[in-house]
Amino acid sequence: MEYAIADTCFLIDWALWKRRDVIFDLFKVVFTPELVLREVRSERTLEWITDMLTRGSLALFTETPDILDIARSLVERSRMIPGLRGVDLPEAVCLAAGKLRGYLVLTENRGALMAVDLLEELRDVKVWRALEVIAEALRRDIIKTSNPRVIFKEYEDETHHRFPRRDLEVILDELGR
């Protein structure tokens, strides 16, 4: 995957990590929708996003009518399916871009993660959390370490984001092979 699109929750956490720029070794460009930028309130996150936009590592994604139509439909459908957490418009825009443009979606939003599993029209959309991004950076030796657990712990400590233990152990087991 050369291109990714990131939502608010992903960017807010990711911007806090000292190794945050490794993402640009994985993707040619990471897009961020205009709707997502409107949600960011943290000065530190905005500063990092602005710096990366200036460097061309992040690119602004302008929502087009076709993307917005799909996104609005996803928001509505996510509210109608029992057991599915609702998806808000900024995350739905990322999912729609993933569907129409083939971008990998970066999110920590549980509703968006569930939607990919439960909505047939999103079955082909690839979604990664920080867990998968870090794992891929470790696989490609972008982050070098003899103990991957230390890198995941570092991320958790710096961002205060906790990885689901079962998912983390699966990744660590895969990386240990």
Side-chain angles (χ1 to χ4, degrees):
M1 294 256 170
E2 290 187 37
Y3 301 98
I5 188 163
D7 73 4
T8 313
C9 55
F10 181 88
L11 289 172
I12 288 170
D13 286 349
W14 195 261
L16 296 173
W17 192 35
K18 69 181 170 196
R19 298 176 197 258
R20 63 187 173 239
D21 291 349
V22 302
I23 198 166
F24 305 119
D25 293 324
L26 290 172
F27 302 103
K28 186 181 271 186
V29 176
V30 177
F31 290 98
T32 184
E34 291 179 16
L35 282 173
V36 165
L37 288 183
R38 289 185 207 136
E39 286 190 322
V40 177
R41 301 283 180 251
S42 160
E43 196 171 309
R44 182 175 179 181
T45 302
L46 282 172
E47 185 178 299
W48 178 69
I49 289 171
T50 302
D51 186 38
M52 293 301 105
L53 286 168
T54 302
R55 291 181 188 193
S57 298
L58 275 176
L60 196 58
F61 181 85
T62 302
E63 300 86 4
T64 56
D66 57 338
I67 294 283
L68 285 171
D69 286 345
I70 291 171
R72 286 187 184 107
S73 174
L74 291 172
V75 169
E76 189 174 289
R77 293 214 34 231
S78 75
R79 302 286 194 273
M80 294 179 176
I81 298 174
L84 175 59
R85 282 195 167 172
V87 177
D88 293 324
L89 192 58
E91 290 77 29
V93 164
C94 292
L95 292 169
K99 176 183 170 65
L100 289 183
R101 305 270 162 70
Y103 301 159
L104 187 139
V105 177
L106 302 172
T107 187
E108 298 294 344
N109 182 283
R110 289 187 191 272
L113 293 164
M114 290 175 75
V116 171
D117 290 334
L118 297 176
L119 300 177
E120 184 63 36
E121 67 266 30
L122 296 178
R123 293 261 184 229
D124 294 331
V125 176
K126 280 222 178 255
V127 177
W128 282 3
R129 302 164 291 178
L131 181 69
E132 288 82 15
V133 174
I134 294 168
E136 187 63 19
L138 288 162
R139 281 186 201 100
R140 292 192 197 178
D141 242 5
I142 294 167
I143 299 173
K144 297 177 187 326
T145 184
S146 59
N147 186 354
R149 186 177 299 276
V150 170
I151 302 300
F152 290 106
K153 173 114 172 60
E154 173 189 280
Y155 183 86
E156 288 182 326
D157 290 346
E158 292 178 14
T159 65
H160 303 290
H161 175 90
R162 300 290 169 247
F163 296 118
R165 289 294 152 225
R166 185 181 318 155
D167 296 348
L168 177 59
E169 291 305 322
V170 167
I171 293 284
L172 287 169
D173 184 52
E174 288 172 9
L175 291 170
R177 289 186 216 145

